[in-house]
Amino acid sequence: MTGFIVFGHGSRVESANQAVREVAERMAATGNYAVEPAFLELGQPDLGRAAERLISRGVERIVVIPYFLTLGTHLQRDLPRLVEDVASRHASIPMTVTSPLDGHPALLEALLDRAGHALEAGKVVP
């Protein structure tokens, strides 16, 4: 079984962290996947704890999905270091990381949807 970690930055604004947890819950429910949220900083659980939760559920492989729009310093430097650290503690569990969300066709659809709603309402939608 493959487990997935939805990896967000984390925020001092708890509702932002909760939004990442909720998208992970929705992903799990949609495909009956083993999914855990994780945060780089300012949110819980961290990557190591999320991996441990998945491993305790019997996963044999972990895929980290960055909940980031673009490939920046955190994804180029911090996430690989964290994955290496977690992987070294769980050598029998392969871990991979997907690309960030940038370039995914659904992002354009989301932008067009927001633009359409703004035009219909005559203002920017919160």
Side-chain angles (χ1 to χ4, degrees):
M1 176 170 56
T2 298
F4 296 91
I5 295 175
V6 177
F7 183 75
H9 184 277
S11 174
R12 287 183 180 85
V13 178
E14 184 53 32
S15 61
N17 296 335
Q18 189 57 32
V20 175
R21 291 183 193 103
E22 289 172 4
V23 79
E25 288 173 12
R26 288 195 315 265
M27 180 182 169
T30 299
N32 198 24
Y33 296 115
V35 182
E36 290 288 337
F39 300 92
L40 174 66
E41 58 189 17
L42 305 171
Q44 291 296 323
D46 64 11
L47 187 70
R49 182 68 187 124
E52 289 168 6
R53 288 179 182 175
L54 288 172
I55 292 166
S56 73
R57 293 166 61 186
V59 304
E60 298 169 347
R61 174 178 172 238
I62 295 175
V63 176
V64 179
I65 303 172
Y67 200 66
F68 285 64
L69 287 178
T70 59
L71 181 66
T73 301
H74 290 313
L75 297 186
Q76 289 181 322
R77 181 191 65 202
D78 301 328
L79 182 56
R81 178 183 48 80
L82 292 170
V83 167
E84 184 178 315
D85 179 55
V86 171
S88 71
R89 289 184 275 135
H90 303 284
S92 65
I93 307 293
M95 290 184 73
T96 57
V97 179
T98 71
S99 298
L101 300 174
D102 185 37
H104 194 284
L107 284 179
L108 176 58
E109 292 174 31
L111 288 171
L112 292 170
D113 180 68
R114 294 290 192 214
H117 285 285
L119 290 173
E120 289 172 12
K123 62 179 181 168
V124 175
V125 181

